[in-house]
Amino acid sequence: MSNQYLDKIQNLPDHEKKIFLGLLEEYEESKNRKDCQEDFLCFVKQSWVAFIEGYHHTKMADAFNRVSRGELKRLIINMPPRHTKSEFASYLLPAWYLGKYPDRKIIQIAHTAELAVGFGRKVRNLVGSEDFKKIFPQVALQADSKAAGRWNTNKGGEYFAIGVGGAVTGKGADVLIIDDPHSEQEGQSGDPQVFDRVYEYYTSGPR
């Protein structure tokens, strides 16, 4: 706020000053809500208090913004461990996407059903939180559908988590996320069958 406005506020009677500051606070909250609804990185900063931004986060966030707008149909992210790939792609992205489009569907795949369901639990808990409601006040979990690996929004959206090898026949998805389709041990084994098996599953079902 510019100094000229601050000076004018100081000269107002106390009751008018209180009204003005209340309206200003409402405006700031509304603007922040709209920004976080439209921009993934803004949502991250609002939802993750301890988040420390790096250049690679900006690149990922830009890609996720384009995915949400339908401009980017396929995305592969390859980075070393502990660079928040899963935190972004399998936790914050699904929550933000379902906040923007609560009538759409997400399928989450990981190398085990337990890992995939773990992601689903985190996303579900975030969507059901008070902090999420501040950004997407119209979106909530459907009351009778809150299983960690399979739940719905109050607008008809769906989240479904499954391990590699699990059946996805007959299930559609607006966004399909595959996070760690094989374990680190399998990946380091050098066995081509590990990768062939995952690729076979991907081409025969999810794709």
Side-chain angles (χ1 to χ4, degrees):
M1 187 185 301
S2 65
N3 289 332
Q4 65 176 18
Y5 289 118
L6 287 173
D7 291 339
K8 289 180 179 179
I9 292 172
Q10 296 302 324
N11 296 327
L12 289 172
D14 286 345
H15 71 283
E16 290 185 14
K17 190 186 299 182
K18 186 176 181 181
I19 293 171
F20 182 86
L21 291 174
L23 291 171
L24 182 62
E25 185 177 348
E26 285 182 22
Y27 169 77
E28 292 293 341
E29 288 177 358
S30 176
K31 184 177 182 301
N32 182 64
R33 183 185 305 118
K34 189 174 188 311
D35 288 345
C36 291
Q37 288 174 354
E38 296 301 320
D39 182 69
F40 176 71
L41 196 57
C42 178
F43 173 79
V44 171
K45 293 174 182 177
Q46 191 75 15
S47 304
W48 186 2
V49 179
F51 173 66
I52 300 174
E53 183 179 346
Y55 175 72
H56 63 293
H57 294 124
T58 306
K59 298 291 285 185
M60 280 195 288
D62 177 65
F64 292 153
N65 284 334
R66 287 186 287 141
V67 167
S68 76
R69 295 193 295 264
E71 300 168 2
L72 186 58
K73 301 297 184 182
R74 291 190 182 184
L75 173 66
I76 298 176
I77 298 176
N78 283 320
M79 283 189 293
R82 314 306 301 167
H83 276 62
T84 65
K85 296 188 301 297
S86 293
E87 205 74 5
F88 264 41
S90 295
Y91 170 45
L92 294 164
L93 173 62
W96 176 70
Y97 187 84
L98 286 174
K100 283 175 67 69
Y101 309 110
D103 58 339
R104 297 190 182 179
K105 301 178 181 181
I106 289 179
I107 292 179
Q108 172 79 52
I109 298 174
H111 65 269
T112 66
E114 182 181 6
L115 180 59
V117 170
F119 288 138
R121 182 176 294 106
K122 288 184 67 175
V123 179
R124 179 201 63 187
N125 291 347
L126 178 55
V127 171
S129 70
E130 290 301 318
D131 288 339
F132 187 86
K133 289 178 184 176
K134 291 177 183 176
I135 301 172
F136 298 105
Q138 305 302 319
V139 183
L141 297 171
Q142 187 173 303
D144 60 348
S145 176
K146 296 183 180 179
R150 188 172 187 175
W151 45 268
N152 300 75
T153 70
N154 61 334
K155 306 293 184 182
E158 297 179 12
Y159 180 98
F160 181 65
I162 195 168
V164 168
V168 291
T169 306
K171 296 188 179 299
D174 296 287
V175 171
L176 172 72
I177 302 168
I178 302 177
D179 189 343
D180 291 334
H182 44 71
S183 68
E184 289 182 20
Q185 292 77 14
E186 289 175 328
Q188 292 171 357
S189 70
D191 182 0
Q193 291 185 2
V194 169
F195 306 102
D196 291 343
R197 187 164 56 247
V198 171
Y199 182 71
E200 210 173 293
Y201 168 69
Y202 168 68
T203 54
S204 65
R207 189 172 71 178

